[in-house]
Amino acid sequence: MLLIYTQKITPRIVYTFKHICTNVLGISIKFTTKIEEFIAHEGMKLSYGKQALGNELFVQKVDLLLEQGLSEVEIKVQPWGDNYCFFPVSENSALPFDIFAASFFLLSRYEEYLPHVKDDLGRFPASESVGFQEGFLKTPVVDIWAYKFKEILLERFPEISLANRKFHTRAIIAVEHVFNFQNKGFLRSLAGMHLDIIKLQFNKVLDRIQVVMRIKKDPINIFEDLIAFIKEYKVPLLFMFQLSDFSIYDRNINYNRNPYRSIIKYVGDYAKVGLMPGYFAMEDFKTLRKEKLRMENTVHTPLDSVINVKYNLNIPEFYNFLSELEIPQDYSMGYPETAGFRAGTCSPFLFYDINTESTLALKIHPYVFNSNIVEHTDFGQLTGDIGKMIAEVKKVGGSFKAVFKNQDFSEYSNFQAYYALLKQIYEIK
């Protein structure tokens, strides 16, 4: 056990120390505000304050973890070895910066609470993040910092027992539409065919007719292919299905149609399934609860996971909805338009709500890559970037998560490229 002295124990301090020390490094910790108890302790100990008490392991703090609510935060990023850090402190500290305040800033998504320029869809864009602006977005800095801290702990306390994490990967398939042509109804099919003709997409006109006449399988109903991929390579996939009402934003078929439900049940026999909330569920609690119940009534198990990779991730309101509905896991923490580590980490973490200064019972699983970027990125550069990020995640025993769409693997897409990316992520030769 590591005893930690601090003058004041705040929710932010408890949250951040638990993540770095316990979640990432596997160290049990205890806090004290009593100098006498700290000095008398003969085991491993660390002080976190403005100045050291003696010759103990000392990490100097800045004020961020003592504050409540939001304030103007000055970020001065500086190089630290092969990496970057911010919130610098004096040379008396075991680290040249406040690792805990910097980690909290990234994990809590502090910058997303502050005024920022939104993109066309009302989302927080990667370009507004300090990681993007300072060049460390594609590096899991929080985990790298934690492992540097691990080296310091081992040097000071050789007897310390630390966890050995194992690198793993997981691909998520976001399913907004199960069918492209099938079960769309006469008027929608007619309107779609008219649009295809206007765009001179005569191959789609022919495909639509063949699918409606059941001569051909719907081109984006590729779930048997992906299940075959799971069976052949023995890898896990996580499928997220949308069950929202039809609207100008969500144009899937009726969630209650038997073909739709059958596919969800079929996929659920071979892989984990979760919910991809619709547009209105992102900001309306009752709508999200309704969609949650639809999924649970379809798969007959409690809903475990959700993802939002299309609409604005309204922090912290959406995460409070998930917590209140007792949905334990979210996979939305990433940028749809840019590869990288949105929260600076490749480790799952509990979400901290700055508005209430409390830790939610909601585990965030950050993703690194979204297939949206494939169409406007050089493929060679993309595979190179993914390879580098996988290598970074491996060094710290983290988790590399990537998001694809079922359409990526259809005949209307360059599916060979997406399968190549899927194999690269799972390191399939």
Side-chain angles (χ1 to χ4, degrees):
M1 182 199 72
L2 178 67
L3 182 66
I4 299 160
Y5 169 79
T6 180
Q7 285 185 314
K8 183 179 181 181
I9 302 172
T10 68
R12 294 184 180 188
I13 287 177
V14 173
Y15 168 79
T16 313
F17 271 84
K18 279 188 174 180
H19 178 74
I20 297 293
C21 297
T22 306
N23 185 32
V24 178
L25 301 181
I27 308 168
S28 60
I29 59 175
K30 179 184 176 182
F31 294 94
T32 183
T33 57
K34 299 177 181 177
I35 295 178
E36 299 81 4
E37 179 186 359
F38 183 75
I39 293 175
H41 184 72
E42 296 182 355
M44 300 178 297
K45 55 186 179 182
L46 174 151
S47 67
Y48 180 65
K50 290 295 184 181
Q51 59 186 19
L53 301 177
N55 64 349
E56 80 281 357
L57 183 62
F58 167 63
V59 175
Q60 192 172 45
K61 70 182 180 183
V62 298
D63 291 333
L64 184 64
L65 300 190
L66 299 179
E67 298 174 352
Q68 290 187 345
L70 300 169
S71 61
E72 288 294 326
V73 179
E74 184 179 8
I75 304 293
K76 289 185 177 180
V77 176
Q78 61 188 38
W80 182 39
D82 296 332
N83 216 284
Y84 300 89
C85 66
F86 51 94
F87 295 145
V89 293
S90 74
E91 294 180 356
N92 296 327
S93 178
L95 292 162
F97 71 110
D98 186 341
I99 178 179
F100 302 104
S103 297
F104 177 81
F105 180 86
L106 294 173
L107 294 171
S108 68
R109 304 310 303 130
Y110 198 100
E111 60 189 347
E112 298 193 33
Y113 289 82
L114 300 174
H116 58 267
V117 178
K118 298 182 184 295
D119 69 7
D120 293 340
L121 296 175
R123 302 175 300 194
F124 180 87
S127 59
E128 286 289 298
S129 70
V130 64
F132 180 90
Q133 293 170 3
E134 298 293 341
F136 62 83
L137 182 64
K138 294 182 180 180
T139 307
V141 289
V142 173
D143 303 271
I144 292 172
W145 295 339
Y147 269 56
K148 292 281 190 181
F149 181 54
K150 174 183 177 180
E151 293 175 7
I152 293 170
L153 288 171
L154 285 170
E155 183 178 340
R156 186 65 180 260
F157 310 114
E159 74 279 13
I160 195 170
S161 177
L162 299 171
N164 289 318
R165 304 200 303 175
K166 290 185 178 180
F167 164 78
H168 70 278
T169 58
R170 170 68 65 87
I172 301 108
I173 311 297
V175 185
E176 184 179 1
H177 299 279
V178 171
F179 304 115
N180 203 6
F181 306 132
Q182 188 178 340
N183 297 297
K184 291 295 180 72
F186 177 75
L187 290 179
R188 284 186 69 185
S189 296
L190 190 63
M193 186 178 299
H194 179 68
L195 190 61
D196 291 338
I197 293 172
I198 292 175
K199 293 181 178 180
L200 303 180
Q201 295 177 331
F202 299 113
N203 61 322
K204 286 192 175 183
V205 174
L206 180 60
D207 286 344
R208 187 185 299 272
I209 293 171
Q210 290 178 326
V211 169
V212 171
M213 296 179 66
R214 300 191 178 183
I215 298 173
K216 182 179 180 180
K217 186 178 178 180
D218 193 282
I220 67 171
N221 178 7
I222 45 71
F223 301 100
E224 290 182 358
D225 298 336
L226 291 175
I227 297 303
F229 184 89
I230 292 173
K231 290 179 179 179
E232 181 177 359
Y233 297 109
K234 305 295 188 296
V235 295
L237 291 179
L238 174 58
F239 292 79
M240 300 290 200
F241 290 92
Q242 191 178 77
L243 296 175
S244 54
D245 292 327
F246 182 86
S247 71
I248 59 172
Y249 303 102
D250 305 310
R251 306 181 67 82
N252 50 316
I253 69 169
N254 190 297
Y255 69 92
N256 216 22
R257 297 286 292 271
N258 282 332
Y260 200 164
R261 294 167 64 92
S262 295
I263 284 179
I264 296 175
K265 291 177 181 179
Y266 165 70
V267 171
D269 289 338
Y270 300 96
K272 286 186 63 178
V273 298
L275 178 68
M276 183 179 174
Y279 176 84
F280 295 105
M282 297 304 302
E283 297 187 355
D284 184 76
F285 178 80
K286 291 182 179 179
T287 302
L288 180 61
R289 180 174 58 187
K290 181 171 61 177
E291 294 183 13
K292 170 183 182 283
L293 292 174
R294 287 173 181 173
M295 178 59 74
E296 291 176 339
N297 290 335
T298 300
V299 297
H300 304 296
T301 57
L303 178 62
D304 178 72
S305 306
V306 301
I307 192 171
N308 165 39
V309 289
K310 183 179 179 183
Y311 305 120
N312 178 33
L313 180 58
N314 194 10
I315 292 175
E317 285 80 2
F318 179 65
Y319 282 159
N320 276 295
F321 289 168
L322 298 185
S323 182
E324 190 171 343
L325 288 170
E326 298 183 338
I327 301 171
Q329 302 185 84
D330 173 78
Y331 289 79
S332 309
M333 185 60 69
Y335 291 116
E337 80 283 11
T338 306
F341 302 87
R342 183 169 179 169
T345 183
C346 58
S347 300
F349 61 97
L350 295 177
F351 186 73
Y352 189 92
D353 181 359
I354 293 176
N355 285 347
T356 60
E357 297 293 349
S358 62
T359 303
L360 302 184
L362 174 68
K363 183 172 284 189
I364 308 300
H365 297 264
Y367 70 83
V368 187
F369 159 79
N370 189 307
S371 66
N372 285 342
I373 71 175
V374 173
E375 292 182 2
H376 48 266
T377 306
D378 177 79
F379 193 72
Q381 179 186 338
L382 178 60
T383 56
D385 286 347
I386 289 176
K388 290 176 183 177
M389 288 188 289
I390 288 175
E392 292 281 3
V393 174
K394 272 187 173 182
K395 290 178 185 177
V396 294
S399 174
F400 189 98
K401 294 184 176 68
V403 178
F404 294 87
K405 303 181 293 292
N406 55 312
Q407 293 98 314
D408 295 337
F409 305 97
S410 76
E411 63 185 79
Y412 290 157
S413 176
N414 183 10
F415 62 89
Q416 294 95 339
Y418 291 99
Y419 272 115
L421 290 172
L422 197 58
K423 287 183 178 181
Q424 180 187 8
I425 289 165
Y426 281 111
E427 299 186 310
I428 295 169
K429 303 300 181 182

